Amino acid sequence: MSSSAALNSSARCIRSSSTRPVALLRFRHFTSTGSTHEEAVVEQVQARPEIIPRYIGTKQEERILKKHGLSPVGSRRRRAAIRDSSNIPFEQLPYQCFQEARKVLAEDREEKIRKIEEERRRIAEVESKDASELGGEHVKKGKLVLMNKYLSQLKVLADVNDPMIKKRFEDGLGDMDRPIYRHLADKKWRSYKRLILEQRIDQMFVVPDVLAKIDLTADVSVHFGRKAIPPGEFVDSKISEVPPTLDVQVFDRGPRLVTIAVVDADVPNVEKDDFDHRCHFLATNIELSPTQSTIKLGELPAENTAYPWMPPHAQKGSPYHRLAIIVLQQAESHALDLNIVQEKYKRLGFSMRHFSGRNKLKPISATLFRTIWDDNMAAVMERAGIEGADVELKRKKPEALPWQYKVKDGERYR
């Protein structure tokens, strides 16, 4: 039995080895001449697949997408779910509970729309009445303000629970002209990013060193080229040599005029043994709206720019400099006279408190970045025509006490 079993196993091995594919090895003899053109192997390079914002899942694909000026859709978990699921429209998902909930939300929305129409009718009646019938112009304006505020709340409540609205907002496709998308964006900003801005402003003492107080009501982001700068980060002097781009997002309706100032609050004053303020950029009468949020400081027209961009700089030995970026809303969109601003306010010794108080400007947002002496600072100062690159600041040694204070009074220790 053992010999037959051995024969059967050897037969199986022979049969299995015969069915395996045999790799053909190509041998080449040693020659003193180079290889011919026919021996060269041509590799076919496959074309890179198209990157679709809805399906990307890796950080590398996100970076490639951002280089082309596009943004990924939703979160990575959301995009992974879209890739693995069938291509069914969101509003047609085959879930009974989901469809029944949409019917309830549709009925609630119809009720809110009826209230909106009724409130609009009431506002039209108040506007048509004479101010003397309502107790004066001041009373009429106050009543209209409250009624329009209630109307805006109704518009938000009509769409706040709509899953399609939330889906478009998460995909970055919301229209900021609509109150519901402004409400959702404001709520998301206040939940995290506003807290970070407040923390950095307090930690770096932008309040009270630059401003007396500020209530952040608008979001502001800073970009030098393609690099986003978090609040309070150190920026290399070579990067900050060019003017940045600001993304100022407001969450209330309508256009307005704003003023943007960049102030260095840590300019050493050796004579006074103190620090001064210096204005590195000042522009006024800039139009801003919920849909028009990008401001390129280097491309603003001359009639809006009081002081063009001065590269941030710090002398060797000085502590880091805080560059505060302040966005101020002009009262009732009243335009400022650029000539008067240039005449009254100079770069060195610029006072943000005095400037905002005299011109009735309300700070709505602020951020900052920091700079310090680095390897590129001297070249940046030379290109900008700024003096002081060859000066090194050192701390002043404390004066020695007179010898009388060093001698111990023996009577005190008896």
Side-chain angles (χ1 to χ4, degrees):
M1 290 294 294
S2 62
S3 61
S4 62
L7 289 172
N8 292 334
S9 62
S10 62
R12 284 196 301 270
C13 292
I14 293 172
R15 285 195 299 270
S16 61
S17 62
S18 62
T19 57
R20 292 176 183 174
V22 179
L24 299 178
L25 302 179
R26 300 176 67 180
F27 295 95
R28 179 185 173 196
H29 299 284
F30 290 102
T31 58
S32 58
T33 59
S35 60
T36 60
H37 180 69
E38 288 76 16
E39 294 176 354
V41 179
V42 179
E43 296 182 358
Q44 294 183 356
V45 180
Q46 296 182 355
R48 193 186 193 95
E50 184 182 0
I51 298 178
I52 303 175
R54 294 182 61 201
Y55 302 135
I56 62 174
T58 63
K59 291 184 177 180
Q60 183 180 4
E61 291 176 343
E62 290 180 3
R63 286 195 295 267
I64 295 173
L65 193 67
K66 289 180 180 179
K67 286 182 180 179
H68 291 82
L70 301 174
S71 299
V73 174
S75 62
R76 292 176 186 167
R77 181 180 297 178
R78 164 94 181 278
R79 296 193 295 270
I82 292 175
R83 286 198 307 270
D84 299 336
S85 61
S86 55
N87 193 14
I88 300 176
F90 181 74
E91 63 275 9
Q92 298 178 8
L93 290 176
Y95 304 115
Q96 183 178 2
C97 182
F98 176 74
Q99 297 299 336
E100 293 295 328
R102 288 195 66 204
K103 293 179 182 178
V104 174
L105 294 176
E107 294 175 359
D108 181 73
R109 188 175 188 276
E110 291 178 359
E111 180 182 355
K112 295 296 189 299
I113 289 176
R114 286 194 296 269
K115 290 183 178 180
I116 289 172
E117 293 175 353
E118 177 66 20
E119 191 65 20
R120 283 176 175 170
R121 185 186 61 79
R122 292 177 58 198
I123 291 174
E125 289 180 357
V126 172
E127 288 178 345
S128 62
K129 290 182 179 180
D130 189 69
S132 59
E133 298 178 8
L134 301 173
E137 190 68 28
H138 180 71
V139 177
K140 181 179 179 180
K141 286 184 179 180
K143 193 170 185 179
L144 287 174
V145 168
L146 293 177
M147 295 177 73
N148 282 307
K149 184 178 180 180
Y150 178 61
L151 180 63
S152 299
Q153 293 176 354
L154 289 176
K155 291 179 180 178
V156 171
L157 293 174
D159 295 324
V160 72
N161 296 317
D162 191 347
M164 293 301 299
I165 294 288
K166 293 186 176 182
K167 174 181 177 295
R168 282 194 290 268
F169 175 74
E170 292 177 359
D171 292 347
L173 304 176
D175 184 7
M176 293 299 287
D177 272 337
R178 296 183 60 181
I180 180 60
Y181 291 113
R182 293 199 301 269
H183 168 76
L184 294 175
D186 186 26
K187 185 178 178 180
K188 180 180 179 181
W189 172 67
R190 289 179 181 274
S191 66
Y192 181 73
K193 193 173 180 182
R194 186 180 186 272
L195 302 177
I196 297 296
L197 276 175
E198 274 189 332
Q199 184 187 51
R200 296 298 183 268
I201 289 172
D202 291 339
Q203 283 180 339
M204 303 298 172
F205 298 102
V206 174
V207 176
D209 289 354
V210 181
L211 290 168
K213 61 179 181 179
I214 183 173
D215 180 20
L216 298 176
T217 57
D219 183 22
V220 58
S221 302
V222 184
H223 293 79
F224 283 98
R226 294 179 178 174
K227 184 178 181 182
I229 306 299
E233 183 176 343
F234 282 96
V235 180
D236 189 274
S237 59
K238 192 174 182 181
I239 296 176
S240 62
E241 185 178 7
V242 297
T245 299
L246 303 184
D247 188 8
V248 184
Q249 183 62 64
V250 292
F251 305 104
D252 50 346
R253 182 182 62 178
R256 76 288 316 271
L257 294 180
V258 297
T259 296
I260 297 177
V262 181
V263 181
D264 185 350
D266 300 304
V267 181
N269 189 331
V270 180
E271 297 177 356
K272 296 181 180 180
D273 194 17
D274 200 354
F275 293 93
D276 291 335
H277 291 187
R278 179 174 55 217
C279 181
H280 281 252
F281 180 84
L282 182 62
T284 62
N285 306 328
I286 303 171
E287 189 172 350
L288 187 68
S289 67
T291 57
Q292 185 180 353
S293 59
T294 302
I295 303 173
K296 296 182 179 180
L297 301 188
E299 298 182 4
L300 291 176
E303 56 268 18
N304 294 105
T305 307
Y307 294 117
W309 181 257
M310 174 187 286
H313 54 278
Q315 291 176 310
K316 189 175 182 180
S318 66
Y320 65 77
H321 290 221
R322 298 165 296 167
L323 277 298
I325 302 175
I326 314 295
V327 182
L328 307 107
Q329 183 170 330
Q330 299 172 199
E332 299 179 356
S333 296
H334 176 69
L336 301 181
D337 192 341
L338 200 65
N339 296 326
I340 297 177
V341 170
Q342 291 174 338
E343 181 182 351
K344 288 186 176 181
Y345 305 97
K346 305 300 179 183
R347 282 189 184 270
L348 190 60
F350 182 84
S351 175
M352 177 56 69
R353 295 187 181 188
H354 186 272
F355 175 72
S356 60
R358 286 298 182 91
N359 296 284
K360 299 181 180 180
L361 304 177
K362 178 185 176 182
I364 59 174
S365 189
T367 185
L368 79 154
F369 65 93
R370 291 181 284 176
T371 187
I372 198 169
W373 175 269
D374 54 30
D375 296 337
N376 301 315
M377 187 67 72
V380 170
M381 294 176 69
E382 183 180 357
R383 286 193 292 268
I386 302 172
E387 299 179 354
D390 55 345
V391 177
E392 181 178 357
L393 301 178
K394 293 185 178 180
R395 290 187 177 273
K396 186 178 180 181
K397 293 183 179 180
E399 296 180 0
L401 294 174
W403 65 272
Q404 292 91 345
Y405 292 94
K406 297 181 181 179
V407 177
K408 294 182 180 180
D409 187 4
E411 295 181 356
R412 295 171 53 191
Y413 300 98
R414 291 177 183 175

